[in-house]
Each structure stands twice: as structure tokens, then as C-alpha cells.
Amino acid sequence: MGLCGGVVASGTAGFLLVNPDYIDFGLTGYNGVLAAIAMFWHQFKPNWSIAAAIIAGLMTAFMLKAGLPMLTMPFVLACWLCLGARHIFCHYQHKFMPNKEHLS
């Protein structure tokens, strides 16, 4: 999942035309790697890892383009957003579709 997170986050940055030097130095991928591993560690389905990597990649790219220091903020926010979205989806599915398998 770490490799997938790095590729997805760096690909997102490349799609948003971030300076190629940032991509070459790995500045665009490490938050995506952390987010993908964190979602995988919680034993969620792989689509949550990919979603977290995309969100982290988007935040990283926007912060780099704006010239803001990012550190691990994109990783933390991406994980919080995915965990919150998963909680909402599972609650909705359990409440309104009790016979369906829960999202995980």
C-alpha cells in the first residue's frame, strides 16, 4: 500500500503540474505513503487507502503551489477525512440498509 500511495500522490501532483523537482525529491509522495499505510493498518478496504493517498496528494500539491510549509498536515487531514467519511457511510448504511454488509 505504501508504494501505491506514493505513486498515486506523486501522480496527483504531476496531474496538477507541480514543479517536477518537488516530485523528483519525493516531496509530493511521502504524505500519500503515510496515509495509505495508515488506512491499510486499520484493515479497511483498499479503496480507503487510495482515497487517503489522493486526498493527501491534492493537499500536498496545493500547499506546494501556494508556497506553504506542509510537513505532515496533508497526511493527518487526509486520514481524518477518510476516517470521518467511513464512519458516516457505515452509520448511514447500518441505519438505512440494515441487511447490507457494512463498509470497511
Side-chain angles (χ1 to χ4, degrees), residues 50-61:
I50 294 169
I54 290 171
I55 293 169
L58 288 171
M59 284 189 225
T60 300

Side-chain angles (χ1 to χ4, degrees), residues 9 35 40 60 64 71 85 87 90 92-93 102:
F40 182 74
T60 300
L64 283 171
L71 303 173
H87 177 73
C90 287
Y92 173 81
Q93 190 173 16
H102 292 295

Side-chain angles (χ1 to χ4, degrees), residues 77-98:
L77 292 178
C79 289
W80 282 358
L81 287 172
C82 285
L83 289 172
R86 183 183 177 276
H87 177 73
I88 290 169
F89 290 145
C90 287
H91 177 72
Y92 173 81
Q93 190 173 16
H94 178 68
K95 185 174 181 180
F96 297 107
M97 295 179 275

